[in-house]
Amino acid sequence: MAAPEDPHRRRVGLLYDERMCRHATPDGEIHPENPDRIRAIWQKLESEGIPLRCVVLSAKEAEDKYIASVHTARHIKLIKNISSKKFNSQRLRIASEFNSIYFNKGSSEASYLAAGSVMEVSEKVAKGDLDSAIAIVRPPGHHAESDEAMGFCLFNNVAIAANFLLNERPELGIRKILIVDWDVHHGNGTQNMFYNDPRVLFFSVHRFDFGMFYPASGDGSYCMIGEGPGAGYNINVPWEQGQCGDADYVAVWDHVLLPVAESYDPDIILISAGFDAAVDDPLGGCCITPYGYSLMLKKLMGFAQGKIVMALEGGYNLKSIADSVLACAKVLLEEKPLVGSIKAQPLESTWRVIQEVRHELKTFWPALSVELPQKVLVSNWRPCSVELNLSSSSESIVENDGGASVTICATNFVEIIEPLSKLNIDEDNHGKAITLDHIATDKSPVVLSEECPNAQALMPDKNVDGCTRWRSVLSKTEVWYGSYGSNMWKPGFLCYIKGGKVEGMNEPCPGSQDKSSPKGVIWKTVPHQLFFARSLTRTWGKGGVAFLHPESNKNDKAYMCMYRITLEQFNDVLLQENSLHQENGKSQGAGAPLLDLSDIGVVAENKSLPLEALKVLMLRD
Ligand code: Q9C
Ligand code: ZN
């Protein structure tokens, strides 16, 4: 029995098609981007009776001529043919040539369906046949570049749909499109496709982690604001770490996205709706609740006469994505006022990021030029926690990575590394080899003053080859580097700083980019026995790490040699000890520091450290 037609009732399109489940890993390997994602969403919606209240649509394949508006002929040919028999033996190899991509027999069809489906619902919403729509599609799209599959994405579904409306359906009157990309990852592909185009305002909020989070390039920086006629029409909100949740996203909506949307006045909004910033997502590390998503969506419904299309992107916790999409569907159906509340305040870094973004874009969007009230900034935030995660492994300290390690989050980079410079060597300390000296008699205080007042210094230099400025930040902090083993022999160690080779080395070292001599050398006795272990963290690499021996007693002693060097030099020592400079070629460490912020974060949190946590004691393999 069909429900009686209510003229006030919202017409919401809902698209799902089982054929998009045929794209899967070739040999059934476990993968986060798997067919169960869209099945779980659909089952949840069905169990809540949502499809009965929506206009249910099935998928349509996109035509090549429309895909060609954003993808090269070569890329289209690849995706068209990749599932055919003649590629059976080559599929694995071809997939391996891309970044985070798999292909199987169902990939071609699913890709064409995903793109065609987003086009289909977008056209219907643009026309007014539907008020809004949700396309539950896969593979996702926003990482796909014009000539490259990437990050689980084959065709850029949302970009294809946007171009279709603008170029192929002018009679529908869609001249300005706002794309809101709330997937936890930066929508690099979409950004690039519209970088010069003011008809599309691309807004992406994503984890950036100073360029360390996938896709780990400078593209997601707030400095990327668009080019030529597109200048000002590309907005990135790059989180400095995980842990962002409802409060952080709502703050960005209220202080960046909504003021801009208001003045841009889009004709339709396309949402690259990944749900991998949801609480409990295995990849995202953020914590948006279904209520948070519903608020974010609700706040957008005031624009473009409510013409909103949601296209699924990422999201890898089946329950989280199903609950989140359900919450969004209810918002589009406008059944009841939202119920829920925001539990926390935004992170301190959220306000900083918001201010940076507003500052960057204020010449294009006057609504962003007013300073945020001091009252908001000083009182309305919560601290970011650095969790210590003591491994419960029953294995020895050697296997469990040295005991203490940090799970994820590091706060403001500068706040973390600055205290490192004040770590003093404390002779009388038992079990804490290195402590933070709070007294201002520090012999060589280091300073991150004028030149780098805040984390901004870590953002990519605009106009330069994409190389980030982390080096300039690291170069301003000096630390005591404790060496044990072969690095205690100064001529050998100096090769890592100044370059060159001593007896026993197979090849000459390139040296650090900063070749200045250590500012100090101190021999030190630690009241412990040390022993060597291997460590597998990214920071410490395969070079040996010395740890306190768990059975050592107070009478034990070990000698070590401390060098006063900068964090940049320390980073370069690590690179060379682990022979990573060879793999990195000429751009020695250009992309990202080898130092792991999380590891360093332990210092900021604890002020003084047991040796096994700091792990500064390196030894050549
Ligand atoms: N070390 C989407 O959410 N991670 N794509 C690869 C490699 C890839 C996410 C990590 C994450 C892709 C649509
Ligand atoms: Zn994602």
Side-chain angles (χ1 to χ4, degrees):
M1 187 180 64
E5 196 65 29
D6 171 359
H8 301 295
R9 188 169 165 163
R10 309 280 305 179
R11 293 175 60 86
V12 178
L14 189 56
L15 187 148
Y16 171 78
D17 198 310
E18 179 72 23
R19 289 176 288 169
M20 285 182 279
C21 294
R22 294 192 203 142
H23 167 63
T25 53
D27 297 311
E29 304 91 359
I30 290 173
H31 195 282
E33 205 294 278
N34 60 63
D36 286 339
R37 297 176 59 236
I38 57 174
R39 282 193 195 113
I41 293 170
W42 185 247
Q43 277 168 18
K44 182 82 192 181
L45 297 181
E46 276 197 317
S47 76
E48 297 273 329
I50 299 291
L52 299 173
R53 297 153 57 192
C54 294
V55 179
V56 175
L57 303 159
S58 52
K60 264 194 182 168
E61 292 199 12
E63 288 179 50
D64 286 350
K65 62 178 175 188
Y66 300 134
I67 299 173
S69 69
V70 303
H71 289 293
T72 61
R74 181 178 91 147
H75 182 66
I76 297 171
K77 194 168 152 195
L78 172 75
I79 302 302
K80 184 196 272 306
N81 295 326
I82 195 67
S83 296
S84 68
K85 258 210 192 104
K86 70 173 198 277
F87 277 86
N88 276 351
S89 59
Q90 301 168 63
R91 228 171 263 136
L92 274 180
R93 180 188 55 77
I94 296 172
S96 74
E97 287 167 14
F98 295 98
N99 175 343
S100 308
I101 286 296
Y102 62 77
F103 297 122
N104 74 338
K105 288 182 197 154
S107 301
S108 299
E109 188 186 29
S111 307
Y112 275 84
L113 289 170
S117 300
V118 180
M119 286 172 57
E120 168 87 355
V121 300
S122 299
E123 184 179 25
K124 290 205 148 71
V125 171
K127 251 190 203 149
D129 291 352
L130 297 171
D131 292 300
S132 57
I134 304 180
I136 307 164
V137 298
R138 63 181 290 277
H142 73 154
H143 293 304
E145 297 280 0
S146 67
D147 192 36
E148 195 179 349
M150 174 179 165
F152 318 157
C153 302
L154 304 186
F155 285 144
N156 195 320
N157 311 316
V158 166
I160 292 167
N163 247 319
F164 174 72
L165 296 180
L166 292 169
N167 303 335
E168 309 288 339
R169 292 288 180 271
E171 71 279 10
L172 300 179
I174 303 295
R175 315 246 183 278
K176 289 177 288 176
I177 300 181
L178 169 61
I179 298 181
V180 175
D181 188 330
W182 74 39
D183 185 283
V184 78
H185 301 96
H186 177 235
N188 55 286
T190 317
Q191 166 169 307
N192 284 327
M193 286 161 181
F194 300 108
Y195 207 59
N196 295 294
D197 192 342
R199 300 174 306 166
V200 174
L201 171 53
F202 179 65
F203 171 92
S204 179
V205 50
H206 45 269
R207 268 186 79 174
F208 186 62
D209 299 36
F210 303 104
M212 308 282 278
F213 199 75
Y214 191 87
S217 80
D219 285 8
S221 157
Y222 60 76
C223 302
M224 307 298 282
I225 58 169
E227 233 169 44
Y233 296 91
N234 194 88
I235 303 181
N236 285 322
V237 179
W239 298 135
E240 291 180 3
Q241 75 279 308
Q243 299 180 27
C244 296
D246 299 350
D248 306 281
Y249 280 81
V250 166
V252 167
W253 257 230
D254 290 346
H255 300 289
V256 181
L257 178 56
L258 302 184
V260 171
E262 176 79 40
S263 91
Y264 184 64
D265 188 23
D267 299 313
I268 191 170
I269 300 177
L270 307 183
I271 304 180
S272 261
F275 291 93
D276 40 11
V279 62
D280 294 333
D281 186 275
L283 271 58
C286 292
C287 49
I288 305 180
T289 66
Y291 173 68
Y293 282 113
S294 65
L295 256 189
M296 288 154 62
L297 179 58
K298 183 85 194 173
K299 283 171 180 270
L300 291 174
M301 285 176 68
F303 303 96
Q305 304 160 67
K307 289 183 192 295
I308 295 189
V309 171
M310 296 179 55
L312 184 67
E313 299 279 0
Y316 307 101
N317 178 310
L318 299 186
K319 176 166 164 44
S320 304
I321 62 179
D323 291 347
S324 302
V325 174
L326 173 64
C328 289
K330 289 181 174 174
V331 170
L332 295 182
L333 286 164
E334 278 198 318
E335 46 166 45
K336 291 181 201 114
L338 308 187
V339 272
S341 65
I342 294 183
K343 302 283 182 301
Q345 290 175 308
L347 292 165
E348 185 261 347
S349 61
T350 292
W351 291 118
R352 187 171 45 249
V353 170
I354 287 175
Q355 286 180 293
E356 285 160 348
V357 174
R358 287 171 62 98
H359 178 77
E360 195 70 31
L361 287 151
K362 65 182 176 200
T363 56
F364 303 97
W365 306 101
L368 302 182
S369 60
V370 267
E371 299 279 324
L372 294 178
Q374 209 55 31
K375 214 176 72 192
V376 173
L377 302 177
V378 298
S379 61
N380 184 25
W381 59 277
R382 71 181 199 278
C384 172
S385 61
V386 178
E387 290 170 53
L388 270 183
N389 173 24
L390 292 165
S391 170
S392 59
S393 163
S394 60
E395 298 293 331
S396 74
I397 195 165
V398 178
E399 263 78 37
N400 81 8
D401 207 4
S405 71
V406 174
T407 40
I408 320 171
C409 161
T411 53
N412 180 353
F413 190 83
V414 174
E415 283 161 16
I416 288 171
I417 63 177
E418 205 261 355
L420 282 181
S421 68
K422 302 202 177 94
L423 290 170
N424 252 354
I425 306 165
D426 180 348
E427 208 73 49
D428 309 318
N429 205 302
H430 295 270
K432 308 219 165 175
I434 301 177
T435 60
L436 182 68
D437 182 5
H438 293 282
I439 307 154
T441 54
D442 197 284
K443 282 198 206 78
S444 34
V446 173
V447 205
L448 298 149
S449 53
E450 302 86 50
E451 278 186 74
C452 98
N454 56 39
Q456 218 165 313
L458 279 166
M459 293 307 164
D461 250 344
K462 280 193 258 184
N463 314 325
V464 190
D465 61 1
C467 176
T468 53
R469 285 175 60 197
W470 57 266
R471 277 187 176 277
S472 110
V473 176
L474 294 185
S475 71
K476 293 181 177 66
T477 301
E478 288 179 4
V479 292
W480 284 107
Y481 163 79
S483 69
Y484 187 64
S486 61
N487 279 348
M488 291 162 69
W489 184 46
K490 197 172 165 192
F493 175 72
L494 283 182
C495 291
Y496 293 139
I497 302 292
K498 297 183 170 296
K501 176 177 166 189
V502 289
E503 222 182 295
M505 283 181 180
N506 299 327
E507 296 188 36
C509 301
S512 170
Q513 280 189 28
D514 174 1
K515 299 206 163 35
S516 53
S517 301
K519 303 287 186 310
V521 186
I522 294 177
W523 285 84
K524 185 178 162 49
T525 308
V526 285
H528 286 277
Q529 212 179 304
L530 302 181
F531 76 108
F532 298 131
R534 282 170 171 279
S535 172
L536 297 172
T537 66
R538 190 173 117 83
T539 303
W540 310 102
K542 65 185 177 186
V545 179
F547 295 105
L548 293 184
H549 200 291
E551 282 153 27
S552 66
N553 64 53
K554 287 205 178 113
N555 301 324
D556 285 317
K557 280 184 175 37
Y559 294 98
M560 36 190 288
C561 180
M562 313 289 294
Y563 297 98
R564 188 75 177 169
I565 57 175
T566 69
L567 274 179
E568 181 192 18
Q569 291 176 317
F570 177 47
N571 183 75
D572 293 343
V573 169
L574 290 179
L575 273 169
Q576 294 169 78
E577 296 213 295
N578 294 296
S579 310
L580 296 172
H581 59 286
Q582 288 152 7
E583 297 157 34
N584 281 20
K586 69 170 166 49
S587 63
Q588 190 199 70
L594 188 64
L595 285 173
D596 187 318
L597 290 185
S598 328
D599 280 350
I600 293 173
V602 187
V603 179
E605 185 71 357
N606 294 279
K607 304 296 191 263
S608 67
L609 286 170
L611 274 181
E612 59 266 33
L614 190 53
K615 298 191 265 188
V616 289
L617 306 169
M618 303 293 299
L619 165 84
R620 219 153 53 108
D621 212 17

